[in-house]
PDB file of all heavy atoms in Angstrom:
ATOM      1  N   VAL K   1      34.611  -8.309 -52.596  1.00 92.00           N
ATOM      2  CA  VAL K   1      35.309  -8.818 -51.408  1.00 92.00           C
ATOM      3  C   VAL K   1      36.439  -9.752 -51.819  1.00 92.00           C
ATOM      4  O   VAL K   1      37.537  -9.703 -51.259  1.00 92.00           O
ATOM      5  CB  VAL K   1      34.327  -9.542 -50.465  1.00 92.00           C
ATOM      6  CG1 VAL K   1      35.071 -10.137 -49.277  1.00 92.00           C
ATOM      7  CG2 VAL K   1      33.242  -8.591 -49.984  1.00 92.00           C
ATOM      8  N   HIS K   2      36.180 -10.598 -52.817  1.00 93.00           N
ATOM      9  CA  HIS K   2      37.202 -11.522 -53.295  1.00 93.00           C
ATOM     10  C   HIS K   2      38.419 -10.752 -53.790  1.00 93.00           C
ATOM     11  O   HIS K   2      39.566 -11.093 -53.471  1.00 93.00           O
ATOM     12  CB  HIS K   2      36.633 -12.397 -54.414  1.00 93.00           C
ATOM     13  CG  HIS K   2      37.588 -13.438 -54.925  1.00 93.00           C
ATOM     14  ND1 HIS K   2      38.576 -13.151 -55.852  1.00 93.00           N
ATOM     15  CD2 HIS K   2      37.715 -14.762 -54.638  1.00 93.00           C
ATOM     16  CE1 HIS K   2      39.252 -14.257 -56.121  1.00 93.00           C
ATOM     17  NE2 HIS K   2      38.753 -15.241 -55.395  1.00 93.00           N
ATOM     18  N   THR K   3      38.195  -9.696 -54.568  1.00 91.00           N
ATOM     19  CA  THR K   3      39.308  -8.886 -55.075  1.00 91.00           C
ATOM     20  C   THR K   3      40.079  -8.253 -53.926  1.00 91.00           C
ATOM     21  O   THR K   3      41.324  -8.217 -53.927  1.00 91.00           O
ATOM     22  CB  THR K   3      38.783  -7.795 -56.016  1.00 91.00           C
ATOM     23  OG1 THR K   3      38.133  -8.409 -57.131  1.00 91.00           O
ATOM     24  CG2 THR K   3      39.910  -6.908 -56.522  1.00 91.00           C
ATOM     25  N   ALA K   4      39.346  -7.775 -52.918  1.00 89.00           N
ATOM     26  CA  ALA K   4      39.993  -7.113 -51.785  1.00 89.00           C
ATOM     27  C   ALA K   4      40.813  -8.080 -50.943  1.00 89.00           C
ATOM     28  O   ALA K   4      41.857  -7.710 -50.396  1.00 89.00           O
ATOM     29  CB  ALA K   4      38.942  -6.431 -50.913  1.00 89.00           C
ATOM     30  N   VAL K   5      40.369  -9.322 -50.849  1.00 91.00           N
ATOM     31  CA  VAL K   5      41.063 -10.295 -49.997  1.00 91.00           C
ATOM     32  C   VAL K   5      42.099 -11.083 -50.780  1.00 91.00           C
ATOM     33  O   VAL K   5      43.296 -11.063 -50.469  1.00 91.00           O
ATOM     34  CB  VAL K   5      40.053 -11.256 -49.340  1.00 91.00           C
ATOM     35  CG1 VAL K   5      40.788 -12.331 -48.537  1.00 91.00           C
ATOM     36  CG2 VAL K   5      39.092 -10.492 -48.439  1.00 91.00           C
ATOM     37  N   VAL K   6      41.648 -11.786 -51.816  1.00 89.00           N
ATOM     38  CA  VAL K   6      42.555 -12.665 -52.572  1.00 89.00           C
ATOM     39  C   VAL K   6      43.539 -11.857 -53.408  1.00 89.00           C
ATOM     40  O   VAL K   6      44.690 -12.260 -53.594  1.00 89.00           O
ATOM     41  CB  VAL K   6      41.740 -13.627 -53.455  1.00 89.00           C
ATOM     42  CG1 VAL K   6      42.668 -14.499 -54.302  1.00 89.00           C
ATOM     43  CG2 VAL K   6      40.839 -14.499 -52.580  1.00 89.00           C
ATOM     44  N   GLY K   7      43.099 -10.699 -53.907  1.00 81.00           N
ATOM     45  CA  GLY K   7      43.977  -9.886 -54.730  1.00 81.00           C
ATOM     46  C   GLY K   7      44.801  -8.895 -53.942  1.00 81.00           C
ATOM     47  O   GLY K   7      45.572  -8.119 -54.521  1.00 81.00           O
ATOM     48  N   SER K   8      44.671  -8.901 -52.615  1.00 72.00           N
ATOM     49  CA  SER K   8      45.393  -7.944 -51.779  1.00 72.00           C
ATOM     50  C   SER K   8      46.882  -8.284 -51.713  1.00 72.00           C
ATOM     51  O   SER K   8      47.272  -9.448 -51.685  1.00 72.00           O
ATOM     52  CB  SER K   8      44.814  -7.933 -50.365  1.00 72.00           C
ATOM     53  OG  SER K   8      45.576  -7.101 -49.522  1.00 72.00           O
ATOM     54  N   ALA K   9      47.694  -7.232 -51.661  1.00 61.00           N
ATOM     55  CA  ALA K   9      49.141  -7.425 -51.594  1.00 61.00           C
ATOM     56  C   ALA K   9      49.650  -7.515 -50.164  1.00 61.00           C
ATOM     57  O   ALA K   9      50.795  -7.896 -49.940  1.00 61.00           O
ATOM     58  CB  ALA K   9      49.861  -6.282 -52.310  1.00 61.00           C
ATOM     59  N   SER K  10      48.814  -7.165 -49.191  1.00 70.00           N
ATOM     60  CA  SER K  10      49.292  -7.171 -47.807  1.00 70.00           C
ATOM     61  C   SER K  10      48.288  -7.853 -46.891  1.00 70.00           C
ATOM     62  O   SER K  10      47.075  -7.833 -47.135  1.00 70.00           O
ATOM     63  CB  SER K  10      49.536  -5.744 -47.315  1.00 70.00           C
ATOM     64  OG  SER K  10      48.311  -5.065 -47.111  1.00 70.00           O
ATOM     65  N   SER K  11      48.785  -8.439 -45.827  1.00 73.00           N
ATOM     66  CA  SER K  11      47.922  -9.114 -44.864  1.00 73.00           C
ATOM     67  C   SER K  11      47.049  -8.107 -44.124  1.00 73.00           C
ATOM     68  O   SER K  11      45.930  -8.428 -43.708  1.00 73.00           O
ATOM     69  CB  SER K  11      48.775  -9.894 -43.861  1.00 73.00           C
ATOM     70  OG  SER K  11      49.682  -9.034 -43.197  1.00 73.00           O
ATOM     71  N   ARG K  12      47.537  -6.860 -43.955  1.00 74.00           N
ATOM     72  CA  ARG K  12      46.745  -5.844 -43.277  1.00 74.00           C
ATOM     73  C   ARG K  12      45.491  -5.517 -44.098  1.00 74.00           C
ATOM     74  O   ARG K  12      44.391  -5.378 -43.548  1.00 74.00           O
ATOM     75  CB  ARG K  12      47.576  -4.580 -43.056  1.00 74.00           C
ATOM     76  CG  ARG K  12      46.798  -3.432 -42.417  1.00 74.00           C
ATOM     77  CD  ARG K  12      47.685  -2.241 -42.128  1.00 74.00           C
ATOM     78  NE  ARG K  12      48.718  -2.571 -41.155  1.00 74.00           N
ATOM     79  CZ  ARG K  12      49.616  -1.702 -40.708  1.00 74.00           C
ATOM     80  NH1 ARG K  12      49.626  -0.447 -41.179  1.00 74.00           N
ATOM     81  NH2 ARG K  12      50.514  -2.063 -39.817  1.00 74.00           N
ATOM     82  N   GLU K  13      45.659  -5.351 -45.412  1.00 74.00           N
ATOM     83  CA  GLU K  13      44.514  -5.068 -46.269  1.00 74.00           C
ATOM     84  C   GLU K  13      43.529  -6.231 -46.255  1.00 74.00           C
ATOM     85  O   GLU K  13      42.313  -6.027 -46.263  1.00 74.00           O
ATOM     86  CB  GLU K  13      44.991  -4.787 -47.692  1.00 74.00           C
ATOM     87  CG  GLU K  13      45.765  -3.484 -47.837  1.00 74.00           C
ATOM     88  CD  GLU K  13      46.349  -3.335 -49.227  1.00 74.00           C
ATOM     89  OE1 GLU K  13      46.388  -4.344 -49.965  1.00 74.00           O
ATOM     90  OE2 GLU K  13      46.767  -2.219 -49.587  1.00 74.00           O
ATOM     91  N   ARG K  14      44.069  -7.450 -46.259  1.00 75.00           N
ATOM     92  CA  ARG K  14      43.211  -8.629 -46.206  1.00 75.00           C
ATOM     93  C   ARG K  14      42.394  -8.635 -44.916  1.00 75.00           C
ATOM     94  O   ARG K  14      41.190  -8.894 -44.921  1.00 75.00           O
ATOM     95  CB  ARG K  14      44.068  -9.903 -46.245  1.00 75.00           C
ATOM     96  CG  ARG K  14      44.318 -10.413 -47.632  1.00 75.00           C
ATOM     97  CD  ARG K  14      45.010 -11.755 -47.601  1.00 75.00           C
ATOM     98  NE  ARG K  14      45.958 -11.811 -48.690  1.00 75.00           N
ATOM     99  CZ  ARG K  14      47.260 -12.002 -48.561  1.00 75.00           C
ATOM    100  NH1 ARG K  14      47.778 -12.190 -47.379  1.00 75.00           N
ATOM    101  NH2 ARG K  14      48.037 -12.021 -49.612  1.00 75.00           N
ATOM    102  N   SER K  15      43.058  -8.398 -43.803  1.00 76.00           N
ATOM    103  CA  SER K  15      42.379  -8.409 -42.513  1.00 76.00           C
ATOM    104  C   SER K  15      41.280  -7.366 -42.464  1.00 76.00           C
ATOM    105  O   SER K  15      40.185  -7.613 -41.937  1.00 76.00           O
ATOM    106  CB  SER K  15      43.387  -8.160 -41.388  1.00 76.00           C
ATOM    107  OG  SER K  15      44.359  -9.187 -41.346  1.00 76.00           O
ATOM    108  N   ALA K  16      41.539  -6.184 -43.024  1.00 75.00           N
ATOM    109  CA  ALA K  16      40.536  -5.123 -43.037  1.00 75.00           C
ATOM    110  C   ALA K  16      39.324  -5.532 -43.874  1.00 75.00           C
ATOM    111  O   ALA K  16      38.173  -5.289 -43.485  1.00 75.00           O
ATOM    112  CB  ALA K  16      41.153  -3.836 -43.586  1.00 75.00           C
ATOM    113  N   ALA K  17      39.578  -6.152 -45.019  1.00 74.00           N
ATOM    114  CA  ALA K  17      38.476  -6.581 -45.884  1.00 74.00           C
ATOM    115  C   ALA K  17      37.645  -7.675 -45.223  1.00 74.00           C
ATOM    116  O   ALA K  17      36.409  -7.670 -45.304  1.00 74.00           O
ATOM    117  CB  ALA K  17      39.025  -7.074 -47.220  1.00 74.00           C
ATOM    118  N   LEU K  18      38.304  -8.599 -44.541  1.00 76.00           N
ATOM    119  CA  LEU K  18      37.597  -9.697 -43.894  1.00 76.00           C
ATOM    120  C   LEU K  18      36.853  -9.241 -42.648  1.00 76.00           C
ATOM    121  O   LEU K  18      35.899  -9.889 -42.215  1.00 76.00           O
ATOM    122  CB  LEU K  18      38.579 -10.819 -43.539  1.00 76.00           C
ATOM    123  CG  LEU K  18      39.126 -11.612 -44.719  1.00 76.00           C
ATOM    124  CD1 LEU K  18      40.230 -12.555 -44.278  1.00 76.00           C
ATOM    125  CD2 LEU K  18      38.001 -12.403 -45.391  1.00 76.00           C
ATOM    126  N   ALA K  19      37.295  -8.140 -42.055  1.00 74.00           N
ATOM    127  CA  ALA K  19      36.640  -7.629 -40.851  1.00 74.00           C
ATOM    128  C   ALA K  19      35.389  -6.823 -41.163  1.00 74.00           C
ATOM    129  O   ALA K  19      34.602  -6.509 -40.273  1.00 74.00           O
ATOM    130  CB  ALA K  19      37.616  -6.769 -40.060  1.00 74.00           C
ATOM    131  N   SER K  20      35.194  -6.501 -42.428  1.00 71.00           N
ATOM    132  CA  SER K  20      34.033  -5.708 -42.839  1.00 71.00           C
ATOM    133  C   SER K  20      32.736  -6.476 -42.573  1.00 71.00           C
ATOM    134  O   SER K  20      32.685  -7.698 -42.739  1.00 71.00           O
ATOM    135  CB  SER K  20      34.140  -5.374 -44.329  1.00 71.00           C
ATOM    136  OG  SER K  20      32.903  -4.883 -44.811  1.00 71.00           O
ATOM    137  N   PRO K  21      31.676  -5.756 -42.177  1.00 61.00           N
ATOM    138  CA  PRO K  21      30.369  -6.423 -41.979  1.00 61.00           C
ATOM    139  C   PRO K  21      29.867  -7.108 -43.247  1.00 61.00           C
ATOM    140  O   PRO K  21      29.045  -8.021 -43.177  1.00 61.00           O
ATOM    141  CB  PRO K  21      29.448  -5.263 -41.570  1.00 61.00           C
ATOM    142  CG  PRO K  21      30.363  -4.240 -41.015  1.00 61.00           C
ATOM    143  CD  PRO K  21      31.625  -4.340 -41.848  1.00 61.00           C
ATOM    144  N   ALA K  22      30.352  -6.649 -44.397  1.00 67.00           N
ATOM    145  CA  ALA K  22      29.902  -7.226 -45.668  1.00 67.00           C
ATOM    146  C   ALA K  22      30.810  -8.360 -46.136  1.00 67.00           C
ATOM    147  O   ALA K  22      30.725  -8.793 -47.277  1.00 67.00           O
ATOM    148  CB  ALA K  22      29.858  -6.136 -46.743  1.00 67.00           C
ATOM    149  N   ALA K  23      31.693  -8.831 -45.261  1.00 78.00           N
ATOM    150  CA  ALA K  23      32.644  -9.875 -45.646  1.00 78.00           C
ATOM    151  C   ALA K  23      31.934 -11.216 -45.849  1.00 78.00           C
ATOM    152  O   ALA K  23      30.727 -11.354 -45.632  1.00 78.00           O
ATOM    153  CB  ALA K  23      33.735 -10.003 -44.593  1.00 78.00           C
ATOM    154  N   VAL K  24      32.699 -12.210 -46.247  1.00 89.00           N
ATOM    155  CA  VAL K  24      32.139 -13.523 -46.568  1.00 89.00           C
ATOM    156  C   VAL K  24      31.833 -14.341 -45.315  1.00 89.00           C
ATOM    157  O   VAL K  24      32.251 -14.000 -44.207  1.00 89.00           O
ATOM    158  CB  VAL K  24      33.121 -14.308 -47.462  1.00 89.00           C
ATOM    159  CG1 VAL K  24      33.256 -13.657 -48.813  1.00 89.00           C
ATOM    160  CG2 VAL K  24      34.479 -14.438 -46.778  1.00 89.00           C
ATOM    161  N   ARG K  25      31.110 -15.433 -45.510  1.00 93.00           N
ATOM    162  CA  ARG K  25      30.781 -16.342 -44.415  1.00 93.00           C
ATOM    163  C   ARG K  25      32.055 -16.946 -43.823  1.00 93.00           C
ATOM    164  O   ARG K  25      33.048 -17.109 -44.531  1.00 93.00           O
ATOM    165  CB  ARG K  25      29.875 -17.465 -44.934  1.00 93.00           C
ATOM    166  CG  ARG K  25      28.526 -16.994 -45.445  1.00 93.00           C
ATOM    167  CD  ARG K  25      27.718 -18.151 -46.013  1.00 93.00           C
ATOM    168  NE  ARG K  25      28.319 -18.709 -47.213  1.00 93.00           N
ATOM    169  CZ  ARG K  25      28.353 -19.998 -47.512  1.00 93.00           C
ATOM    170  NH1 ARG K  25      27.863 -20.890 -46.676  1.00 93.00           N
ATOM    171  NH2 ARG K  25      28.891 -20.412 -48.635  1.00 93.00           N
ATOM    172  N   PRO K  26      32.034 -17.319 -42.537  1.00 93.00           N
ATOM    173  CA  PRO K  26      33.235 -17.882 -41.900  1.00 93.00           C
ATOM    174  C   PRO K  26      33.807 -19.090 -42.627  1.00 93.00           C
ATOM    175  O   PRO K  26      35.026 -19.222 -42.742  1.00 93.00           O
ATOM    176  CB  PRO K  26      32.741 -18.258 -40.501  1.00 93.00           C
ATOM    177  CG  PRO K  26      31.643 -17.283 -40.231  1.00 93.00           C
ATOM    178  CD  PRO K  26      30.953 -17.084 -41.567  1.00 93.00           C
ATOM    179  N   VAL K  27      32.946 -19.982 -43.152  1.00 96.00           N
ATOM    180  CA  VAL K  27      33.452 -21.168 -43.834  1.00 96.00           C
ATOM    181  C   VAL K  27      34.243 -20.788 -45.079  1.00 96.00           C
ATOM    182  O   VAL K  27      35.253 -21.422 -45.419  1.00 96.00           O
ATOM    183  CB  VAL K  27      32.291 -22.132 -44.201  1.00 96.00           C
ATOM    184  CG1 VAL K  27      31.343 -21.509 -45.214  1.00 96.00           C
ATOM    185  CG2 VAL K  27      32.828 -23.455 -44.713  1.00 96.00           C
ATOM    186  N   VAL K  28      33.820 -19.715 -45.752  1.00 96.00           N
ATOM    187  CA  VAL K  28      34.527 -19.237 -46.945  1.00 96.00           C
ATOM    188  C   VAL K  28      35.792 -18.496 -46.543  1.00 96.00           C
ATOM    189  O   VAL K  28      36.863 -18.699 -47.115  1.00 96.00           O
ATOM    190  CB  VAL K  28      33.606 -18.344 -47.795  1.00 96.00           C
ATOM    191  CG1 VAL K  28      34.361 -17.753 -48.978  1.00 96.00           C
ATOM    192  CG2 VAL K  28      32.397 -19.131 -48.268  1.00 96.00           C
TER     193      VAL K  28
END
């Protein structure tokens, strides 16, 4: 998840990764 979010080149990819049920806790 970290690679998908922090290493993402676009905000759209980040949003998709964070929207996943397997994403990180809200505080993170």
